[in-house]
Amino acid sequence: MSEEGPRDSPVWFHWESAFLWIIGTPDDSFPKRIEINPKCAVGIVDFDQKSRKVFHAGFRGQGFVEDFDSGIANRLLSRYLGTDDPRLNNSNVLIRFMMETVVVRDQSYLIRGDY
């Protein structure tokens, strides 16, 4: 939490070896807040507009600022940008998120007339 209260930021992530990995820059406020207080939460939503399927996974746990690892960073970014993206920068940092609790919800919905 910052002095102004909790923060919520959309991020790209990668799941590997029982951890969620998030990429950031040393100037981002998120890595700085993690170093002060590692408690954090991550929410992931999988949404398919056509089928109206909505699944939410909420994780609470601890984050750890890790040195840059080009292998993990490439695997993370390739999901969103393709492989070997030239924007990969070894001055970035990685957040390794270790979950302690998980809540998964099916929040799918129907529109009137579907039933």
Side-chain angles (χ1 to χ4, degrees):
M1 181 176 351
S2 73
E3 292 178 13
E4 295 83 28
R7 296 287 180 254
D8 180 25
S9 300
V11 295
W12 291 347
F13 71 93
H14 173 67
W15 178 265
E16 182 174 307
S17 302
F19 301 107
L20 282 176
W21 293 90
I22 300 165
I23 197 165
T25 69
D27 297 331
D28 289 338
S29 64
F30 183 54
K32 291 174 183 174
R33 290 191 319 268
I34 291 298
E35 288 177 336
I36 294 167
N37 182 354
K39 292 181 183 179
C40 58
V42 175
I44 298 172
V45 176
D46 184 14
F47 171 61
D48 180 51
Q49 185 176 12
K50 184 176 179 181
S51 68
R52 299 181 184 99
K53 298 282 185 193
V54 182
F55 297 100
H56 171 261
F59 305 92
R60 289 187 183 170
Q62 295 190 50
F64 303 92
V65 178
E66 302 284 346
D67 290 335
F68 185 78
D69 179 310
S70 61
I72 291 172
N74 271 315
R75 291 189 293 280
L76 186 156
L77 292 175
S78 68
R79 176 177 182 183
Y80 304 95
L81 302 173
T83 58
D84 297 323
D85 191 275
R87 292 172 280 192
L88 191 62
N89 183 335
N90 65 3
S91 68
N92 290 337
V93 296
L94 292 166
I95 305 298
R96 179 174 53 93
F97 177 77
M98 182 176 63
M99 74 178 104
E100 295 171 356
T101 63
V102 179
V103 175
V104 179
R105 294 184 179 100
D106 180 347
Q107 296 179 303
S108 302
Y109 62 95
L110 296 174
I111 295 178
R112 198 176 348 201
D114 285 350
Y115 45 94

